Amino acid sequence: MTLNFIQIILVLIVSFLAGMEGILDEFHFHQPVIACTLIGLVTGDLTPCLMLGGQLQMIALGWANIGAAVAPDAALASVASAIILVLGGQGTKGISSAIAIAVPLAVAGLLLTTLVRTLATAIVHIMDRAAEEGSFRKIDFWQWVAICMQGLRIAIPAGLILAVGAGPVRALLEQMPDWLTKGLGIGGGMVVAVGYAMVINMMATREVWPFFAIGFVLATVKEITLIGLGAIGISLALIYLALSKQGGGSGNGGSSNNSGAGDPVGDIIDNY
């Protein structure tokens, strides 16, 4: 697939926003499901990019910055894999290949992230001197410089991929053997399971495990649509909030047990 000038500009804008949001975390343009969908929207290849973003999002669930450890770059993985998928012109058949390329790109993106954050450290010192001078204009200027550096961190690699063109990208994807494509697809599925397990491990308590069980059981019922599952999830959340107003330990009008588990529903259950 060949992109016209307007599509290339829009792709670069999306890439720039994804890079900035990797730091700002306000509109979540760096999340795979959003970044890939926007790339697909501006290139006219929405369905494959949306499916790619959904699968990458499951992988990125387990990516988080913990202490000094920096997570793989979800923004670069999302933007680069979506562009490669579009340029390859394989449609939904190229999703597994794009995912196979996305994971190494995410790890390689750590080098760019480290470089940009190292440069940003010097900018912080410049802003400190501007603060001592009382110059708000300089502080704002260098803040914009630092944020734009994050945007260029993704926009420049995206531009390089676009400059290569559809021919070499398509040739690269077609040269990948079936055993490699299928193997990487299986590996990507395992990464999804590991990422989702990490999220559950952080969130799960004995009080919320029943909600997980209900959700997984209901998901196996084919007659229930995603809208129906969403309605059930909202209903369970409202029930939980209603019970939380009644429980929550002593002094909250519900439980008089001072040794509550810290969970309002759990305290109500313990009292019963």
Side-chain angles (χ1 to χ4, degrees):
M1 180 178 180
T2 303
L3 304 180
N4 57 43
F5 179 76
I6 300 299
Q7 289 175 323
I8 292 175
I9 295 300
L10 292 175
V11 168
L12 293 178
I13 291 175
V14 172
S15 305
F16 188 80
L17 293 176
M20 290 195 302
E21 280 300 302
I23 296 297
L24 296 177
D25 260 340
E26 184 174 1
F27 300 104
H28 292 275
F29 289 137
H30 66 293
Q31 296 293 342
V33 70
I34 298 179
C36 292
T37 301
L38 290 176
I39 295 293
L41 186 63
V42 301
T43 58
D45 206 7
L46 179 60
T47 301
C49 288
L50 180 59
M51 296 174 63
L52 172 65
Q55 296 189 35
L56 285 179
Q57 188 66 57
M58 296 298 295
I59 297 176
L61 285 175
W63 293 349
N65 296 332
I66 302 176
V70 181
D73 194 345
L76 180 60
S78 306
V79 170
S81 61
I83 295 174
I84 291 173
L85 178 62
V86 171
L87 294 181
Q90 295 179 319
T92 56
K93 295 181 181 179
I95 293 178
S96 59
S97 300
I99 292 177
I101 297 173
V103 176
L105 283 174
V107 178
L110 290 174
L111 299 176
L112 291 175
T113 300
T114 303
L115 175 62
V116 172
R117 295 191 181 195
T118 302
L119 295 176
T121 303
I123 293 179
V124 170
H125 294 302
I126 296 175
M127 295 173 67
D128 287 338
R129 290 194 294 269
E132 293 176 356
E133 298 173 2
S135 177
F136 290 98
R137 178 177 295 181
K138 289 184 180 179
I139 295 174
D140 290 338
F141 171 77
W142 286 108
Q143 178 184 1
W144 279 103
V145 170
I147 293 299
C148 289
M149 285 171 50
Q150 296 291 341
L152 293 174
R153 174 177 59 89
I154 306 299
I156 292 177
L160 293 176
I161 296 174
L162 290 171
V164 171
V169 173
R170 187 182 299 110
L172 175 64
L173 296 179
E174 291 177 352
Q175 288 176 2
M176 294 181 65
D178 292 338
W179 62 267
L180 179 60
T181 302
K182 293 179 180 178
L184 290 173
I186 295 173
M190 295 176 64
V191 175
V192 171
V194 173
Y196 198 63
M198 292 176 64
V199 174
I200 293 178
N201 189 44
M202 290 186 292
M203 294 174 54
T205 62
R206 63 186 180 89
E207 288 85 5
V208 301
W209 272 116
F211 295 98
F212 282 113
I214 293 172
F216 281 113
V217 171
L218 291 177
T220 62
V221 181
K222 297 181 179 179
E223 289 77 11
I224 302 179
T225 62
L226 290 177
I227 296 177
L229 289 174
I232 293 173
I234 293 175
S235 300
L236 291 175
L238 293 175
I239 292 173
Y240 184 90
L241 291 175
L243 291 176
S244 66
K245 295 179 181 179
Q246 302 177 20
S250 61
N252 197 29
S255 172
S256 59
N257 186 7
N258 292 328
S259 60
D263 184 273
V265 178
D267 292 343
I268 295 174
I269 294 174
D270 290 339
N271 286 338
Y272 280 116

